Amino acid sequence: MRAEAEGEGELGMLMVGNVGVNRVLADCLDFKNIRNLEQMVFQRPGGFEATIKGYFYQPARQQDIRLANRVIKGERFHPASNALWFFRPTGDCPGTWYNQVNSGRFKAHCFFIPTAQDCPQVY
């Protein structure tokens, strides 16, 4: 979460965590057969981009662990509460991204959600 969104503050990192947990729970679309956080983070294609950068491999700090535990225990934060995707555009958030609806923006990241019909497990 830190490697993907440290510049977004604690709330931004929590939102990235929401996306990660949602991907593990989803069992739909791009995330079929993803059963744990490690599989989700290192999924290719589609996992967390930060895994290809050295910054990702720094030891977790206590605050990072605390934030991760919060999302694992079920805390959700809009616009990421039901999101399966996020990215950082150079401009405005598009209304859709790969046919997924934009649920909102937090600082630099745009979040995108599946329909409840496509992925009921994230709702």
Side-chain angles (χ1 to χ4, degrees), residues 100-111:
Q100 306 306 314
V101 176
N102 179 308
S103 59
R105 180 181 200 132
F106 181 77
K107 295 188 179 182
H109 285 98
C110 303
F111 294 87

Side-chain angles (χ1 to χ4, degrees), residues 3 5 7-9 11 19 25 38 45 50 53-56 62 67 72 78-80 95 97 99 105 112-113 116:
E8 309 289 291
L11 186 54
V19 170
L25 296 174
E38 183 176 5
K53 299 175 181 163
Y55 187 72
F56 176 82
Q62 283 301 326
L67 293 175
I72 289 169
H78 181 77
W97 190 50
N99 298 319
R105 180 181 200 132
F112 298 85
I113 57 174

Side-chain angles (χ1 to χ4, degrees), residues 25-73:
L25 296 174
D27 196 26
C28 63
L29 302 172
D30 297 336
F31 308 102
K32 288 186 178 184
N33 301 315
I34 299 296
R35 296 292 173 258
N36 61 54
L37 293 171
E38 183 176 5
Q39 289 175 344
M40 178 277 301
V41 168
F42 291 99
Q43 180 186 13
R44 292 290 178 259
F48 282 5
E49 180 183 336
T51 60
I52 61 173
K53 299 175 181 163
Y55 187 72
F56 176 82
Y57 296 94
Q58 293 180 22
R61 304 169 299 188
Q62 283 301 326
Q63 70 188 56
D64 302 326
I65 294 166
R66 180 179 50 80
L67 293 175
N69 281 326
R70 287 176 63 187
V71 296
I72 289 169
K73 289 179 181 177

